[in-house]
Amino acid sequence: MLGPGVRYLDAFYLADRIAIEGLMRLGILRKGNIEKLLRTAVSKAFFPHGLGHHMGLDVHDVSAKPILSFCGGEEQSMIEFSEKSPLRLTNEFMAPCTSDAAPWQPGTVITVEPGISFSRYALETVHLPNPEVSKFIDEEVLERYMHVGGARIEDDILITKHGYENLTLTPKGKEMLDIIRDGAECHHGNGCPFSMDAVRRS
């Protein structure tokens, strides 16, 4: 769905749905269909960040709203607020994903970096104590995945007139796992910085 006229918010909604579907297949999420789970925002326990951000000289300042949060009636900067309470992120921290952020235009460069996180601190401190969230989580199944920690894969995307161009050449998925596990060669050709020859030279 990447292309001109698309909002970051809509792309985030799609990524959120895909994340929930995957967590349901693993058995981590239960007791509800996909539409119900989307309404509960339970995925924030595992997908707490936005989908990405713009790239350029001022990469995050892309919404009509300031990137600020409000706590106790006091306006605080994002840095000050996140240092005091790193888990209490509000929508203001996801400025590219707000409804009033401009849709992508040809020439826009963005990151698309979905991910899943298994943070014991975040889960045990914030999410599992909340019965409206924990009732959808199978803690026994979740425990089997806690050692994973998480994964987040980034692509840098150029929005073009008719779609997009992926500027990232990094191997992903099975290809990257093969390189890590077996020392297989990258298939991006000579000069790829992720080939085993390049790794040996580094």
Side-chain angles (χ1 to χ4, degrees):
M1 71 176 297
L2 303 180
V6 176
R7 299 182 306 168
Y8 239 130
L9 184 63
D10 296 320
F12 174 79
Y13 285 155
L14 176 60
D16 194 41
R17 175 180 288 271
I18 292 171
I20 289 177
E21 289 174 344
L23 292 166
M24 291 177 71
R25 285 195 300 271
L26 292 175
I28 294 173
L29 294 183
R30 60 180 183 179
K31 294 183 180 178
N33 57 40
I34 182 67
E35 301 303 328
K36 184 175 182 179
L37 290 172
L38 281 168
R39 290 194 298 271
T40 66
V42 66
S43 61
K44 285 190 175 183
F46 307 97
F47 186 13
H49 46 74
L51 181 60
H53 55 79
H54 289 65
M55 300 180 70
L57 295 177
D58 198 356
V59 297
H60 292 90
D61 191 13
V62 294
S63 173
K65 297 180 180 179
I67 307 179
L68 296 171
S69 188
F70 295 85
C71 181
E74 296 182 3
E75 188 173 288
Q76 297 172 299
S77 73
M78 181 168 64
I79 295 175
E80 291 171 344
F81 188 79
S82 61
E83 286 176 347
K84 292 180 180 179
S85 183
L87 295 173
R88 291 182 59 196
L89 302 183
T90 71
N91 287 336
E92 299 297 338
F93 286 86
M94 300 168 60
C97 284
T98 56
S99 59
D100 61 347
W104 300 326
Q105 301 296 328
T108 301
V109 182
I110 59 172
T111 70
V112 176
E113 41 186 318
I116 292 294
S117 173
F118 298 103
S119 167
R120 186 176 297 277
Y121 177 76
L123 286 162
E124 294 182 351
T125 304
V126 177
H127 303 295
L128 292 177
N130 181 353
E132 293 304 310
V133 172
S134 61
K135 67 183 180 182
F136 296 109
I137 298 175
D138 188 319
E139 294 186 44
E140 183 176 344
V141 176
L142 171 62
E143 187 60 36
R144 300 206 299 264
Y145 291 90
M146 291 297 289
H147 72 281
V148 174
R152 192 172 185 185
I153 300 174
E154 176 176 336
D155 284 302
D156 298 335
I157 301 294
L158 169 65
I159 301 299
T160 64
K161 183 177 180 180
H162 300 292
Y164 70 93
E165 177 184 350
N166 192 337
L167 305 177
T168 302
L169 298 178
T170 311
K172 301 179 184 68
K174 184 178 184 302
E175 184 179 359
M176 176 55 83
L177 289 176
D178 287 344
I179 292 172
I180 294 171
R181 183 175 54 241
D182 304 323
E185 290 298 331
C186 175
H187 302 298
H188 288 102
N190 294 332
C192 177
F194 301 98
S195 68
M196 289 308 296
D197 285 340
V199 171
R200 293 187 191 102
R201 291 194 300 268
S202 63

